Amino acid sequence: SQLTATKAGRHTVRDKGTYVILRELHRSERDPQVLVACEKLIQVLIGDEPGPGMENLLEVNVPEEVEEQLQRLECEEEERWWQEEEERQEAGGSTPSPKEPSR
């Protein structure tokens, strides 16, 4: 995530074809933490570039209540992911691959 904190870093990561590599890694990776990290990075790569004043995301001041809400949402998302993973394992299925970007 540090590499994609700056506009230049995000541009470099996109230009190197990282999305394709991550998509393939996500299809074969079994470690849930690696899969979550891949999904988050893929969302950064396929998402819109942040607006002016947000070129370096490490320097953006986030209000405390927004930070708390984002942390809570991240925890909820991780819990949902683990529940879905458990259900897939019980059903004998495999981990799904991330959706292709709709560009």
Side-chain angles (χ1 to χ4, degrees), residues 22-44:
L22 286 171
R23 183 185 65 203
E24 295 305 315
L25 172 63
H26 193 275
R27 289 180 179 162
S28 61
E29 182 59 51
R30 297 290 177 234
D31 184 328
Q33 291 178 324
V34 173
L35 290 169
V36 169
C38 284
E39 291 168 4
K40 289 180 180 182
L41 184 51
I42 287 170
Q43 289 304 314
V44 169

Side-chain angles (χ1 to χ4, degrees), residues 6-97:
T6 65
K7 184 175 184 174
R10 291 186 294 276
H11 183 74
T12 299
V13 171
R14 285 185 187 110
D15 283 352
K16 298 294 181 184
T18 306
Y19 171 77
V20 175
I21 295 166
L22 286 171
R23 183 185 65 203
E24 295 305 315
L25 172 63
H26 193 275
R27 289 180 179 162
S28 61
E29 182 59 51
R30 297 290 177 234
D31 184 328
Q33 291 178 324
V34 173
L35 290 169
V36 169
C38 284
E39 291 168 4
K40 289 180 180 182
L41 184 51
I42 287 170
Q43 289 304 314
V44 169
L45 295 175
I46 65 175
D48 294 333
E49 187 63 30
M54 297 185 66
E55 290 81 10
N56 186 341
L57 299 177
L58 296 175
E59 295 175 352
V60 174
N61 290 323
V62 178
E64 188 175 323
E65 62 273 3
V66 173
E67 175 109 23
E68 291 170 1
Q69 182 181 13
L70 290 172
Q71 288 175 351
R72 183 178 47 77
L73 290 171
E74 186 171 348
C75 288
E76 290 173 4
E77 178 184 341
E78 189 172 338
E79 287 175 19
R80 270 194 308 276
W81 191 93
W82 280 105
Q83 287 174 336
E84 291 171 2
E85 178 65 16
E86 208 172 274
E87 291 169 3
R88 280 192 290 277
Q89 294 298 320
E90 289 173 359
S94 62
T95 304
S97 62

